[in-house]
Amino acid sequence: RSLPPTKRVLIAALALAGVGAVLLLLAQSGNSGGSIGEWLGTRVGRIWLGRVATLIAIGVLLDDIAATGRGKVFGTIVSIWLPLQLLFLTTLTSHSAAITQPPIVPLAVDFIHLIATSIWVGGLAMMAFVVPRVARTLGDADRSWLWLRNVGNFSTAAAVAGGVLILTGSYLAFLHVGSWTAWFRPALGRTLLL
């Protein structure tokens, strides 16, 4: 029996995040000049452990909710809280975490930027992999309504997320690159423009 399309996307996302976490561990501990154990003792290493624990919790709890049919409220809390926690932990290791004056604004903007990115990319994944599979199981009239409803809802969400990305990305770019003319000089500015 095959897995539902939504669960396949979740498993693929968790697997990619897990691979990314392992690669990050290897790269960061290698760059630090110490052992993996020493790196895990640093602030960034402890945050990395929190991210891995959150990824595991997402996989275990969402699978448990699907298998046991626990309450809708619990499922909603888990499916919103844990991904937001993962994004917040990512923000704590971003370039914005190094800004001390003012300390809260760059972190908040970075967190909002990650949320908007997740909405946009997650919506694209659902539209590309889940909706077409579900649509194949429906009759013509229901399939048309499914596509109409999902394209309309995603277009609205994507437009809002895109606007937020432009605003937060512009702020973060100016904050980290320094000036608009610097965009065209350093390798970072040119890379971000691509």
Side-chain angles (χ1 to χ4, degrees):
R1 186 174 167 210
S2 68
L3 293 171
T6 307
K7 192 166 185 174
R8 285 184 186 187
V9 170
L10 176 64
I11 289 170
L14 287 172
L16 285 172
V19 168
V22 169
L23 292 174
L24 179 67
L25 170 67
L26 296 173
Q28 291 289 336
S29 63
N31 287 338
S32 72
S35 69
I36 290 176
E38 290 171 342
W39 181 78
L40 289 174
T42 66
R43 176 185 167 274
V44 175
R46 288 189 301 273
I47 292 170
W48 180 87
L49 288 171
R51 288 169 61 182
V52 169
T54 303
L55 284 172
I56 292 169
I58 289 171
V60 170
L61 289 174
L62 291 182
D63 187 55
D64 179 60
I65 291 166
T68 62
R70 286 195 192 198
K72 187 175 182 179
V73 173
F74 180 72
T76 301
I77 290 170
V78 168
S79 61
I80 292 173
W81 177 265
L82 289 176
L84 286 176
Q85 177 177 312
L86 186 63
L87 294 177
F88 182 71
L89 289 170
T90 302
T91 295
L92 291 178
T93 58
S94 70
H95 292 288
S96 297
I99 305 294
T100 58
Q101 292 298 327
I104 300 299
V105 174
L107 279 176
V109 171
D110 194 84
F111 184 54
I112 292 166
H113 188 78
L114 290 176
I115 291 170
T117 302
S118 298
I119 290 169
W120 186 57
V121 173
L124 286 174
M126 295 303 276
M127 291 297 291
F129 301 115
V130 175
V131 176
R133 288 182 153 284
V134 172
R136 280 188 234 128
T137 66
L138 302 174
D140 289 341
D142 290 335
R143 186 175 328 136
S144 296
W145 277 109
L146 174 75
W147 278 109
L148 180 65
R149 185 170 175 217
N150 279 284
V151 168
N153 289 341
F154 176 67
S155 296
T156 303
V160 171
V164 169
L165 284 170
I166 290 169
L167 291 173
T168 57
S170 297
Y171 170 79
L172 292 169
F174 184 74
L175 183 69
H176 297 302
V177 176
S179 70
W180 296 112
T181 57
W183 274 90
F184 301 102
R185 281 185 263 148
L188 173 65
R190 287 188 298 245
T191 303
L192 290 173
L193 282 172
L194 294 177

